[in-house]
Amino acid sequence: MRSARPILPRVVWGTAALSYAVAVINRSSLSALGPAAQDHFGIDATTLATFPVIQLLVYAALQIPVGVLLDRIGARAMILIGGVLMIVGQAAMATVPEVSLAIIARVLVGAGDACTFISVMRMLPEWFSLRQLPTISQVTGLIGQSGQLVSVVPLALLVGATGWMGGFLGLAALGVLVVILGVVVLRDSPGDSTVIERITGRRGRTTENARSFADSRTAALAAVQPPATEMIPVISEVRVPGLGFWNRARKLLRLPGVRLAYWVHFASPFAANVFLLLWGTPFLVGGLGLDPAAARGLLSLTVVSSMVASVVLGPLSSRFIERRVWFTLGITVAIALVWTAVIVWPGTPPLALVLVLLVILPLGGPASMIAFEVARSHTPRSYAGFGTGLVNTGGFTASLLVILLIGFVLDLQGAGSPEDYSLHAFQVAFAVQIPFWLLGIVMIIVEQRRTKRWMDDNGRKLR
């Protein structure tokens, strides 16, 4: 019985993380297929940008509604619903002949993706102690990044070998397998029965072990106190009953820590999302003149860099809680500086600078995970799903706006098709990222100061 207690949380978490990885594969399935999508549907750069923009728009718009549903029906149900939506979306993407229908398919993919990540993040505090959560969250992000690795190389090779339909039907089949696994394994919290036990009415030793784990975890959490140096207090037991949707949002946004979390997520991941979801391959191939195989290899480098960063940032954010926001701020500034150097470089930038960009750029993804740690410390527990969804809109709102603006600027320059791509056109187009970095960095600094001041006034009461 003792051995079952530590294994059960990891099995549930592993299945949830796998579901997130598959969601990332679906989300970034066009990352290495931009030119292929243009050839398949006969579209220009602005129309190509519409695919991920619509997908991310749906993702961002659904974050708060999904968060509300998550607080009501639980993480397990939302993960499974998300999986089914993505299966239908990718099956449609494989078979529809028209661009308008393909956009609807990406809407379904975006809706399913929206259900998955915050549901996985909402599930983690039910299974792991507070001190484990930063590391577990980063490892979850690492597993998700492996999904991008799949979409960069294996999916592109699969589409090349079996065609557009075969590749996307293969994604749908993978989704079916993961949903079936989720039905069998996933549960919202320790002590919940499995689906088989619900059908048969029998509760076995596994459930008894889960209840025992839940009891021991509750006792352990009760004994854990935030360290005296922790900058952000835990207020998870504060209840705010009876508020409507907008009142609830205003209540959360009055907390400077929630606003800080939003801007942390706004500023840090959008550049990597823009590059990996759509414009990376066109820039490397059409802008820098690399062959597609080399471009896929460099995109794989970005994913590996992100995975390494996840391993490092998890323990660091656990150990240096009061400095974790500064980690994100430093990474965001580094990304902005390196990208700006590539943008303003006269002529073709040297390979060394490009490699530095591809190593630094993806660090924004793991850095953005710190936003959820900040949000968790400030969000009332009964609205944890709502708060996570609210914060998660930040980075994806910035991502979809930048993706669309890049496509629009390319078309304005007459460089919206693969045969018309040029390095100068991409440099001008990627410059639209600069105002977003400036806004995000300024707001992080402002809200960090407000949060610190709020902590000085209220921290003792909450502890």
Side-chain angles (χ1 to χ4, degrees), residues 16 59 99 159 173 184 195 205 220 222 235 248 251 255 260 263 276 294 304 320 365 393-394 401 404 419 435 438 452:
Y59 183 100
V99 174
V159 170
V184 175
V195 66
R205 182 176 298 176
I235 59 172
R248 187 183 306 182
K251 179 70 176 180
L255 298 171
L260 173 61
W263 288 110
L276 290 171
V304 172
F320 302 103
T393 61
L401 290 174
L404 186 59
E419 60 271 15
L438 292 175
K452 183 66 168 64

Side-chain angles (χ1 to χ4, degrees), residues 85-134:
L85 288 173
M86 287 184 285
I87 291 168
V88 175
Q90 295 292 34
M93 193 71 181
T95 54
V96 297
E98 300 178 6
V99 174
S100 58
L101 296 177
I103 290 175
I104 294 174
R106 299 309 287 183
V107 167
L108 293 175
V109 172
D113 187 17
C115 296
T116 305
F117 174 71
I118 64 171
S119 301
V120 174
M121 295 301 291
R122 178 67 179 88
M123 184 180 286
L124 297 184
E126 301 297 328
W127 291 94
F128 297 95
S129 69
L130 295 175
R131 295 189 183 278
Q132 291 176 300
L133 285 177

Side-chain angles (χ1 to χ4, degrees), residues 22 28-29 58 70 86 160 170 177 220 223 226 243 265 295 311 336 362 373 390 425:
V22 172
S28 55
S29 53
V58 171
L70 178 58
M86 287 184 285
L177 294 177
L243 294 180
H265 199 269
V311 175
E373 298 303 319
L390 180 65

Side-chain angles (χ1 to χ4, degrees), residues 29-41 43 48 51 89-98 102 105-106 155-171:
S29 53
L30 292 178
S31 61
L33 297 175
Q38 287 186 282
D39 291 339
H40 182 76
F41 292 108
I43 54 178
L48 174 64
F51 284 115
Q90 295 292 34
M93 193 71 181
T95 54
V96 297
E98 300 178 6
R106 299 309 287 183
L155 178 59
L157 295 177
L158 180 63
V159 170
T162 65
W164 183 271
M165 180 181 293
F168 282 89
L169 286 180
L171 276 184

Side-chain angles (χ1 to χ4, degrees), residues 6 31 47 92 120 164 168 170 319 371 399-400 405 413 425 435 448 451:
S31 61
T47 307
V120 174
W164 183 271
F168 282 89
R319 183 174 180 181
S399 298
L400 70 90
L405 285 172
Q413 300 174 88
Q448 172 79 343
T451 300

